[in-house]
Amino acid sequence: MNEKDLNLALLEAFPELADEFEDYTSWQDGLETGAFLIYEDVFRPRIEKALTDNDCIFAERAFAYVEKLFASGDDYAVNIVTVGILEGLKANCDNDAVRKFLGASTLAVFNELTY
């Protein structure tokens, strides 16, 4: 997968992020904006907010999507999710709150991260 593929996949899965995505990328490269940036600066904050607000519906959707990217086996997608999502969550959030939403593949990686 490339930048555009990952960004399109995110917007298809989470159309509610469209305005934030547009605001963030309007001065950059649009859909070609680095996926690391989008996943870390647009998607992860929404996941963190869902965890803080106890929005289980969004959290479940978000982590199912993350697990799907892990299951894809695409090295770039896995790296984006590991660095752009999981590392930040591990460092900034209640790890037990995160763990309850993680799928098996994601949980294994999350548990190996150290902070």
Side-chain angles (χ1 to χ4, degrees):
M1 297 181 92
N2 61 30
E3 311 301 337
K4 186 175 180 179
D5 295 336
L6 284 163
N7 291 335
L8 277 172
L10 181 66
L11 290 174
E12 288 173 7
F14 298 93
E16 65 266 44
L17 296 177
D19 289 340
E20 291 168 72
F21 179 88
E22 179 62 32
D23 288 344
Y24 189 83
T25 62
S26 64
W27 56 276
Q28 297 182 57
D29 297 320
L31 285 170
E32 300 292 336
T33 300
F36 274 107
L37 297 171
I38 299 302
Y39 281 67
E40 184 172 31
D41 295 341
V42 175
F43 189 37
R44 193 182 79 218
R46 287 294 292 268
I47 295 171
E48 290 176 1
K49 182 174 178 1
L51 293 168
T52 300
D53 294 349
N54 206 20
D55 181 354
C56 295
I57 293 171
F58 186 88
E60 287 172 2
R61 287 177 52 223
F63 288 113
Y65 177 78
V66 168
E67 184 74 10
K68 179 180 168 184
L69 288 178
F70 265 99
S72 75
D74 182 279
D75 289 339
Y76 188 57
V78 168
N79 195 26
I80 294 282
V81 171
T82 301
V83 175
I85 304 293
L86 297 182
E87 286 185 358
L89 293 175
K90 182 83 173 206
N92 298 320
C93 294
D94 174 356
N95 287 197
D96 290 332
V98 174
R99 280 187 184 94
K100 74 180 186 177
F101 292 104
L102 298 178
S105 298
T106 315
L107 181 60
V109 171
F110 188 78
N111 285 336
E112 290 177 7
L113 296 172
T114 55
Y115 283 91

